[in-house]
Amino acid sequence: MELSKDLLKELQRLARPDLPVQDIDKNQFYWSSAWRKLSRRIKQRDNNECQVCKSQGKVTLGSNKKNGKILIVHHIKPIEFYPSLRLDEDNLLTVCIDCHNAIHFTSSESIEWDDEWW
């Protein structure tokens, strides 16, 4: 995906498609070896940088609490709507926890989304 200044808005739009939710065992998927290997590869591909922050001219590095922000591999098109894209590298993007929450929640929603920490 080409980065743009409107990346956050585009990711927010894609995170809420008008499609029926499909039954996916997210817990089983996120603990699978295929996902864990792929998420490490995507973070390396993205230079361990939040791609949303990068599109806005900011640098957000890190992969754990000691050296910076928590980075998450985000599904651009959510797996509950697009299960066939769950391991598609073109559907994955490294984001920090703040940007991930901004993608999934509006400022009026107080719940934080943090299920993709691994």
Side-chain angles (χ1 to χ4, degrees):
M1 171 177 265
E2 186 175 314
L3 297 179
S4 71
K5 291 186 177 185
D6 293 326
L7 180 60
L8 179 59
K9 287 182 182 180
E10 180 64 9
L11 291 171
Q12 288 170 329
R13 183 186 69 76
L14 291 169
R16 294 180 172 105
D18 188 20
L19 296 171
V21 174
Q22 298 188 26
D23 187 25
I24 299 291
D25 185 347
K26 284 184 170 184
N27 194 40
Q28 182 179 1
F29 170 71
Y30 286 123
W31 282 103
S32 71
S33 62
W35 170 250
R36 293 169 77 169
K37 287 176 188 175
L38 180 58
S39 64
R40 282 192 299 270
R41 188 164 62 240
I42 296 302
K43 286 178 184 179
Q44 289 173 342
R45 178 198 71 188
D46 293 343
N47 297 312
N48 285 309
E49 293 179 271
C50 173
Q51 299 302 294
V52 175
C53 289
K54 185 176 181 177
S55 74
Q56 298 170 348
K58 298 184 269 182
V59 177
T60 302
L61 299 171
S63 59
N64 62 48
K65 292 180 182 178
K66 290 184 179 180
N67 69 357
K69 296 246 182 183
I70 296 173
L71 294 179
I72 296 167
V73 176
H74 170 69
H75 286 91
I76 297 166
K77 293 183 177 180
I79 64 173
E80 59 268 22
F81 300 106
Y82 303 93
S84 64
L85 299 177
R86 66 187 176 274
L87 295 174
D88 183 340
E89 291 187 23
D90 292 333
N91 188 45
L92 300 171
L93 194 67
T94 304
V95 298
C96 68
I97 190 72
D98 292 338
C99 288
H100 192 252
N101 289 338
I103 292 166
H104 287 284
F105 299 100
T106 63
S107 59
S108 64
E109 295 173 311
S110 60
I111 302 169
E112 290 192 358
W113 185 270
D114 189 11
D115 73 338
E116 296 179 63
W117 61 270
W118 47 86

